[in-house]
Amino acid sequence: MEGPEGPQEPRFPIIVFSPYKDCQAIMKVLLLKDAKDDDCGQDPYIRELGLYGLEATLIPVLSFEFLSLPSFSEKLSHPEDYGGLIFTSPRAVEAAQLCLEKNNKTEVWERSLKEKWNAKSVYVVGNATASLVSKIGLDTEGETCGNAEKLAEYICSRESSALPLLFPCGNLKREILPKALKDKGIAMESVTVYQTIPHPGIQGNLNSYYSQQGVPASITFFSPSGLTYSLKHIQELSGDNIDQIKTQGPRHPKQNCLQLELLRKDCTDAATMFAAIGPTTAHALAAQGLPVSCTAESPTPQALATGIRKALQPHGCC
């Protein structure tokens, strides 16, 4: 996720909302992702969290290098060889865009290739990926599935072509989707079009954030690789807060009530809550021994904001 070199501050007035009667501080949340402005010129995660009075900062933790673009470009030029396309990440779509730009294929894409691919199924995971795919003129399906497991079920329930599905992916792709399709006898051809590497500014950006903003009320992870590359730095910067979270374990209603009392006494002296954009990332957090207080019901800004707000403001307490 390429992004700016430093943490981004929210770019519109934050609505101050605090569930703690004696606490007037704005709750700060940290999102470990790059900024992606929408048509309104603002990252939708910052906007949605701001509606709940949460001051969000984005810090990119991943960078990407594109691979095998000539090979992928050649495959895109021959839709007759495939039964359809599968996109499970925005980066894979960006690889397709680069193929069209770098190889002067834009004209032939608009004239014939796009139409030929649209005669086939183009499967995607998530609205963000679907939006990018639509920008290159392809019609999508499956975006509401939310994750690779559900998309695999969707594809298996619909796919009947004897031709393989073309699957551009990253070097860290999980095998759930390929295995599920193979088990159902659905042919698929994978091509690795990008590799994930740590963002060069992780440590500096996190150091700057913690020194200026302090320990956030919550940190949201957007991928297992993002967790892998950032956790060590977060542990060093959070100090006792990480140990406190591990000792406490998952937060139950009574523990939340206790934390409310602690927050009323000192708004800045509370353990950080961990959130995950989906179940795969949540499992990665659990594997590190870290409890997950919030897993978004779907990988969308609205679902994440609702989940974090609910986790930070537990109902029925006091």
Side-chain angles (χ1 to χ4, degrees):
M1 300 178 194
E2 295 294 341
E5 288 302 315
Q8 291 199 355
E9 295 296 334
R11 288 169 288 178
F12 77 114
I14 295 297
I15 302 171
V16 180
F17 169 90
S18 176
Y20 313 115
K21 296 178 181 179
D22 299 324
C23 183
Q24 300 301 318
I26 295 175
M27 301 195 76
K28 300 179 184 295
V29 296
L30 179 58
L31 308 182
L32 299 181
K33 68 178 292 293
D34 60 336
K36 293 289 185 183
D37 292 353
D38 59 14
D39 294 338
C40 298
Q42 183 178 50
D43 185 275
Y45 285 91
I46 286 183
R47 181 174 59 254
E48 290 297 325
L49 287 161
L51 294 175
Y52 289 123
L54 301 173
E55 185 177 341
T57 299
L58 307 179
I59 293 181
V61 295
L62 302 177
S63 289
F64 302 92
E65 294 178 348
F66 291 101
L67 309 169
S68 307
L69 293 186
S71 174
F72 183 34
S73 179
E74 181 65 19
K75 296 177 189 300
L76 286 175
S77 298
H78 294 281
E80 67 277 6
D81 293 339
Y82 300 96
L85 277 163
I86 302 176
F87 290 105
T88 59
S89 72
R91 219 61 54 194
V93 188
E94 290 178 15
Q97 291 173 317
L98 286 174
C99 287
L100 300 180
E101 295 169 2
K102 289 187 175 182
N103 296 282
N104 299 317
K105 279 190 167 61
T106 302
E107 184 178 347
V108 67
W109 176 264
E110 292 294 335
R111 187 173 66 246
S112 61
L113 290 179
K114 179 175 67 174
E115 182 179 353
K116 291 178 180 179
W117 279 112
N118 271 330
K120 306 170 183 289
S121 296
V122 180
Y123 300 105
V124 301
V125 169
N127 292 326
T129 302
S131 177
L132 288 176
V133 173
S134 68
K135 289 181 179 179
I136 61 173
L138 296 180
D139 302 324
T140 64
E141 56 181 296
E143 53 264 39
T144 58
C145 292
N147 58 55
E149 293 90 336
K150 292 180 180 178
L151 181 65
E153 295 175 4
Y154 180 86
I155 294 174
C156 290
S157 70
R158 298 174 61 85
E159 195 58 38
S160 59
S161 173
L163 295 173
L165 298 172
L166 180 58
F167 178 36
C169 57
N171 64 314
L172 300 179
K173 79 175 189 304
R174 299 171 70 213
E175 293 302 319
I176 289 178
L177 179 60
K179 184 179 184 303
L181 297 187
K182 182 179 179 181
D183 290 346
K184 293 293 184 179
I186 298 173
M188 185 183 74
E189 182 178 324
S190 299
V191 54
T192 301
V193 296
Y194 67 91
Q195 65 178 353
T196 305
I197 60 176
H199 191 282
I202 291 180
Q203 186 170 6
N205 289 339
L206 285 171
N207 286 344
S208 177
Y209 177 87
Y210 274 78
S211 65
Q212 296 176 20
Q213 307 287 346
V215 178
S218 77
I219 300 175
T220 300
F221 296 89
F222 286 76
S223 68
S225 52
L227 170 66
T228 298
Y229 295 143
S230 61
L231 183 57
K232 177 182 177 181
H233 303 302
I234 290 171
Q235 288 173 323
E236 293 173 351
L237 292 165
S238 297
D240 292 340
N241 286 75
I242 291 289
D243 294 331
Q244 182 182 356
I245 295 168
K246 287 187 175 182
T247 301
Q248 289 176 347
R251 291 157 122 196
H252 298 292
K254 289 184 178 179
Q255 291 173 305
N256 278 322
C257 287
L258 174 60
Q259 187 157 17
L260 281 170
E261 291 299 328
L262 292 172
L263 279 166
R264 288 192 178 104
K265 294 176 182 178
D266 185 351
C267 297
T268 64
D269 188 24
T272 297
M273 180 203 80
F274 287 127
I277 193 61
T280 301
T281 305
H283 292 156
L285 276 162
Q288 293 289 340
L290 297 170
V292 183
S293 297
C294 163
T295 301
E297 292 187 0
S298 63
T300 63
Q302 295 81 5
L304 180 65
T306 299
I308 290 178
R309 190 252 189 178
K310 184 177 180 180
L312 291 175
Q313 187 198 18
H315 296 290
C317 287
C318 311

